[in-house]
Amino acid sequence: MAGYLIRRFGLMLVTLFGISVLVFVMLRLVPGNIADILFDAAGLIDTADKAKLEHDLGIDQPIVIQYAHWVNGLAHGDLGYSYVSEKPALQEIAPRIPITAKLAGLALAFSVMFGVPLGVISAVKQNSAIDYVLRVISLSGLSMPAFWLGLLILMAFVAWFGEIPIYTDPPVGFWNTLWLYSVPAAAVGFRSSALVMRLTRSSMLEVLRQDYIRTARAKGASLRSVNYHHALRNALLPVVTVIGIEAAFLMGGLIVTETVFNIPGVARFLVEAIRWRDYPIVQNLVMFIAVVAVGMNFLIDVLYAVLDPRIRYSG
């Protein structure tokens, strides 16, 4: 087990290094930089002033030198300064991480709490009325864009309650926070729960047809034991993979949802930073999202080894 985890951890580090190089290079391949944008916006044409600005920001140096400075700063906890606000990048990014984490956590909890149980019920009750209803609901969730569902929710709140559940000021207290984040989390989590439900259903159906399930039934095991002890544990492997991928996606893929509900999170801030070519903000935010994604994959590998002991010996 220890050797398996060490190999996976080493692969995670190599992956993060490759992502850092790719992000850093691709960001600088985009035409224009912060100096071009600022000078175009101000209508300035003095090339000497522009060159001085590029020198002050360090973007006139060779890309290898810039990358070395960035990695050295990361190693010492220095993320640089925002080109736009001139504040430390960490000071700009840190307050937004808990906001997106709360929204992503609630959306993921919504998807798991509804997706897995309903997927199991749909598989156990295959071709029954409740199975058809759940399949229609899951297909509806996969078909509805989260931003469109979010807009419908906002219009429904205006029509029924005369208010809009959008982020204006930081919420105070647990219940206010839960109320403010639960509405956009439900809009996002509905799609995720539909995906988890479909995958749980198909995985459960495949496992329920296995020989060892028929053997357990023949030995007189209860229906509950067969479905939830024997079948569900083996059916969870692909479901765990999707849940991990969804968790990583939710940390950086909530751009439209955060915009619709006016939530000052990581994803919305990333789009604004890209528009202004704010290199320190963009590359650090992308690396943060990459760390979350790679970390979730590592956690999935650990859960795989826990759920299926054969993996830890063959991995």
Side-chain angles (χ1 to χ4, degrees):
M1 182 67 174
Y4 171 78
L5 294 179
I6 291 173
R7 286 193 296 271
R8 290 295 183 270
F9 185 76
L11 180 61
M12 181 180 72
L13 295 180
V14 173
T15 303
L16 287 174
F17 171 74
I19 291 174
S20 70
V21 174
L22 188 63
V23 168
F24 196 88
V25 173
M26 291 186 66
L27 185 59
R28 281 151 181 79
L29 291 178
V30 177
N33 55 38
I34 184 65
D36 295 326
I37 294 175
L38 291 177
F39 269 66
D40 290 343
L44 301 176
I45 57 175
D46 192 332
T47 55
D49 289 342
K50 181 180 176 181
K52 183 178 183 303
L53 177 60
E54 291 177 343
H55 177 75
D56 292 341
L57 296 176
I59 57 179
D60 62 335
Q61 297 178 343
I63 191 170
V64 176
I65 302 299
Q66 295 183 51
Y67 178 78
H69 286 323
W70 177 48
V71 173
N72 182 62
L74 287 178
H76 293 85
D78 181 11
L79 305 185
Y81 286 79
S82 169
Y83 291 165
V84 177
S85 67
E86 300 182 355
K87 296 179 181 179
L90 184 60
Q91 184 178 330
E92 292 280 1
I93 296 172
R96 292 171 168 82
I97 293 177
I99 295 175
T100 298
K102 291 175 185 176
L103 179 57
L106 279 174
L108 189 65
F110 182 92
S111 64
V112 173
M113 287 190 299
F114 285 90
V116 174
L118 293 181
V120 173
I121 294 172
S122 183
V124 173
K125 304 291 185 181
Q126 184 184 14
N127 295 329
S128 65
I130 189 172
D131 179 33
Y132 288 123
V133 171
L134 292 176
R135 286 161 68 180
V136 170
I137 293 175
S138 65
L139 288 175
S140 300
L142 293 173
S143 304
M144 291 182 186
F147 73 90
W148 182 76
L149 182 58
L151 291 174
L152 287 183
I153 292 174
L154 290 179
M155 290 188 290
F157 267 82
V158 172
W160 296 339
F161 305 110
E163 61 179 11
I164 303 178
I166 62 174
Y167 194 107
T168 53
D169 298 310
V172 178
F174 173 79
W175 293 112
N176 287 335
T177 302
L178 182 63
W179 166 252
L180 185 63
Y181 286 103
S182 60
V183 177
V188 178
F190 182 51
R191 186 201 67 84
S192 297
S193 66
L195 178 62
V196 172
M197 188 194 309
R198 295 285 296 180
L199 187 60
T200 303
R201 180 183 184 275
S202 61
S203 184
M204 277 289 294
L205 288 176
E206 182 179 354
V207 171
L208 287 172
R209 298 188 182 102
Q210 299 298 317
D211 292 337
Y212 66 88
I213 297 296
R214 287 193 288 268
T215 301
R217 289 170 177 165
K219 288 182 177 181
S222 65
L223 185 62
R224 181 183 180 85
S225 176
V226 170
N227 291 336
Y228 295 98
H229 179 70
H230 296 281
L232 181 58
R233 179 169 180 172
N234 291 283
L236 279 179
L237 287 177
V239 178
V240 167
T241 302
V242 169
I243 292 174
I245 294 173
E246 284 295 302
F249 164 77
L250 289 172
M251 280 303 297
L254 297 174
I255 299 170
V256 177
T257 303
E258 289 183 352
T259 301
V260 170
F261 289 92
N262 195 40
I263 298 175
V266 168
R268 183 180 173 188
F269 187 49
L270 177 59
V271 174
E272 296 174 358
I274 292 174
R275 183 166 61 90
W276 284 99
R277 306 294 192 275
D278 198 345
Y279 294 158
I281 298 297
V282 175
Q283 59 203 24
N284 287 311
L285 273 179
V286 173
M287 277 306 299
F288 166 73
I289 296 171
V291 168
V292 172
V294 175
M296 288 304 305
N297 281 324
F298 178 73
L299 181 59
I300 289 170
D301 289 338
V302 175
L303 289 176
Y304 265 30
V306 172
L307 292 173
D308 191 346
R310 295 172 297 178
I311 295 176
R312 73 183 71 166
Y313 298 119
S314 62

